[in-house]
Amino acid sequence: MPRSTATMLASALVLIALLCAGVLIKVPYSEMSPGPTVNTLGDARGEPVLQISGRKTYPASGHLNMTTVRVTGADYRMNIFEAVYGWLAHDSVVVPHDTLYPDGKTEEQSTQENAEEFSQSQESAKVAALKELDIPVATQVVVSTVVKGSPAEDKLHAGDVIKAVDGTAVKEPGDVAKLVTKHQPGEDVTFTIIPAKTAAAAEKAGRAPEGGEEITIRTAKAPAAEGDGEEGGKDRAIVGIRAGTDHTFPFEIDIKLADVGGASAGLMFSLGIIDKLTPGDLTGGKFVAGTGTIDDAGTVGPIGGITMKLVGARNAGARYFLTPDDNCASAAADTPDGLTLVRVKTIEDATKSMEQIRTGKTAGLPSCSTG
């Protein structure tokens, strides 16, 4: 065989081996890419994203788009070629697999966690929006979960409203833990509650739950390193519940959006609710997108995947992007052409900026910088 032919054959075999290695060798990385954006003022799958009944609403035009990020599944393993392509591509990010799925978290666990965060973000979005509009919202402390096999099992139930512990009124979830842990294990503690079914009926009727009944529970000693929502310490008394908050809204607000998880849409849901409940047009017909968690007080928090959300928003046609303050530096470092970043810290900041966008007086908009 001529030397040149042998060299070409050897090179071809090496190339084939490299190609096979690139396809077959898996690497511990995952990929993030721009997901779909959804207009909170519009429809999704044939029905309005925001549905409000029992209160006058107003037409709203323009866009207030929430943004999403696509991620590869927990069980998916990238090969070398896919990882290299992702690193080189501008519209995707390759990150260590453990960044998205820490501690061996399964895709099912991640989906469940994201669904819970999404549900909580909807509640906080409603509360923040109504507070911004000075519409009263009743808030109560409730039983979030009951630990199986604990003293509270079959005595307290998820959704029960906790009015008092040992006769002392509770105003925050943390109050429950403080009052329970005043006892020694084995002592009785008395809860004044409104049963979940009674509370749900009151909420459906748009009023705060009333009344109460006393439930006495014998405390137990917390197992070592047990994290059940009650304060830690040696010989700590517990009853085995986690307390949380629930709200009674004066009218019905439903957020209809499937196959979306996480808490990052809170800000945009709040703005959509505000727009529908107020006359005029919050956007002035402009295309605004954004992201950010929100709490009951209206504080906007940071999110993950900001660069991918910017790309998704600009591809969808957005001209302005409401950006959490803590994400501003990262966003400013890689902003798509034609997209103006607007820094926000609170829902109040966002509504003020929307007024500037609506009227076209955008020179003074709070901006993001890399510094």
Side-chain angles (χ1 to χ4, degrees):
M1 178 184 297
R3 177 173 295 182
S4 59
T5 302
T7 301
M8 291 177 62
L9 179 59
S11 299
L13 291 174
V14 170
L15 179 59
I16 291 171
L18 290 174
L19 290 171
C20 289
V23 171
L24 296 176
I25 295 176
K26 306 300 181 180
V27 292
Y29 290 93
S30 297
E31 185 178 59
M32 303 170 63
S33 60
T37 73
V38 179
N39 186 9
T40 61
L41 302 177
D43 293 351
R45 296 187 176 181
E47 61 178 345
V49 174
L50 299 176
Q51 301 180 18
I52 301 173
S53 57
R55 181 89 174 193
K56 182 176 177 59
T57 58
Y58 301 87
S61 64
H63 287 74
L64 286 171
N65 280 42
M66 56 160 287
T67 50
T68 64
V69 174
R70 284 194 179 97
V71 298
T72 50
D75 296 329
Y76 183 77
R77 292 294 183 268
M78 304 181 72
N79 61 43
I80 293 176
F81 285 149
E82 290 171 323
V84 171
Y85 178 83
W87 278 317
L88 296 176
H90 179 69
D91 59 353
S92 65
V93 173
V94 174
V95 298
H97 185 270
D98 289 346
T99 301
L100 300 179
Y101 305 100
D103 302 321
K105 185 184 298 181
T106 66
E107 189 165 354
E108 182 179 359
Q109 290 172 327
S110 180
T111 299
Q112 177 63 29
E113 183 179 292
N114 285 336
E116 291 172 358
E117 290 178 352
F118 185 65
S119 178
Q120 181 57 51
S121 77
Q122 293 181 47
E123 289 297 294
S124 293
K126 297 173 190 178
V127 174
L130 297 194
K131 285 184 176 180
E132 182 67 15
L133 296 174
D134 294 323
I135 298 174
V137 177
T139 301
Q140 51 271 334
V141 177
V142 298
V143 177
S144 291
T145 58
V146 178
V147 178
K148 186 174 179 59
S150 70
E153 188 176 20
D154 297 328
K155 293 188 174 183
L156 297 179
H157 304 85
D160 288 346
V161 175
I162 305 173
K163 303 290 288 185
V165 177
D166 291 331
T168 301
V170 297
K171 297 181 180 179
E172 302 288 341
D175 294 343
V176 177
K178 291 176 182 177
L179 292 166
V180 169
T181 53
K182 284 184 176 181
H183 290 271
Q184 293 297 314
E187 294 181 347
D188 288 345
V189 58
T190 300
F191 286 77
T192 303
I193 68 159
I194 299 174
K197 289 183 178 179
T198 303
E203 184 173 354
K204 188 174 182 180
R207 55 181 174 80
E210 299 176 346
E213 60 182 68
E214 291 189 347
I215 304 291
T216 299
I217 302 173
R218 180 150 296 176
T219 61
K221 181 180 177 180
E226 179 81 356
D228 67 350
E230 297 164 8
E231 291 184 345
K234 185 178 181 181
D235 295 337
R236 174 168 59 96
I238 65 165
V239 296
I241 66 168
R242 291 184 176 88
T245 56
D246 193 21
H247 309 283
T248 300
F249 299 101
F251 49 89
E252 191 170 352
I253 306 173
D254 284 330
I255 299 175
K256 302 288 188 180
L257 195 59
D259 301 326
V260 176
S264 66
L267 170 62
M268 302 313 291
F269 284 145
S270 282
L271 290 175
I273 292 167
I274 290 171
D275 201 357
K276 284 182 173 286
L277 290 175
T278 52
D281 212 349
L282 195 63
T283 68
K286 306 293 196 309
F287 196 137
V288 180
T291 190
T293 65
I294 200 160
D295 63 18
D296 292 359
T299 303
V300 177
I303 52 82
I306 185 66
T307 56
M308 296 298 95
K309 292 187 174 186
L310 297 177
V311 173
R314 188 66 191 97
N315 288 345
R319 305 295 298 182
Y320 300 92
F321 194 93
L322 302 180
T323 311
D325 181 62
D326 288 342
N327 290 120
C328 258
S330 296
D334 194 12
T335 308
D337 292 339
L339 190 64
T340 298
L341 303 183
V342 181
R343 186 180 72 251
V344 292
K345 295 182 179 180
T346 64
I347 187 66
E348 184 179 8
D349 289 346
T351 55
K352 288 179 178 178
S353 292
M354 289 304 305
E355 174 64 15
Q356 293 174 268
I357 292 171
R358 184 184 70 80
T359 58
K361 300 176 181 179
T362 57
L365 282 172
S367 59
C368 291
S369 65
T370 54

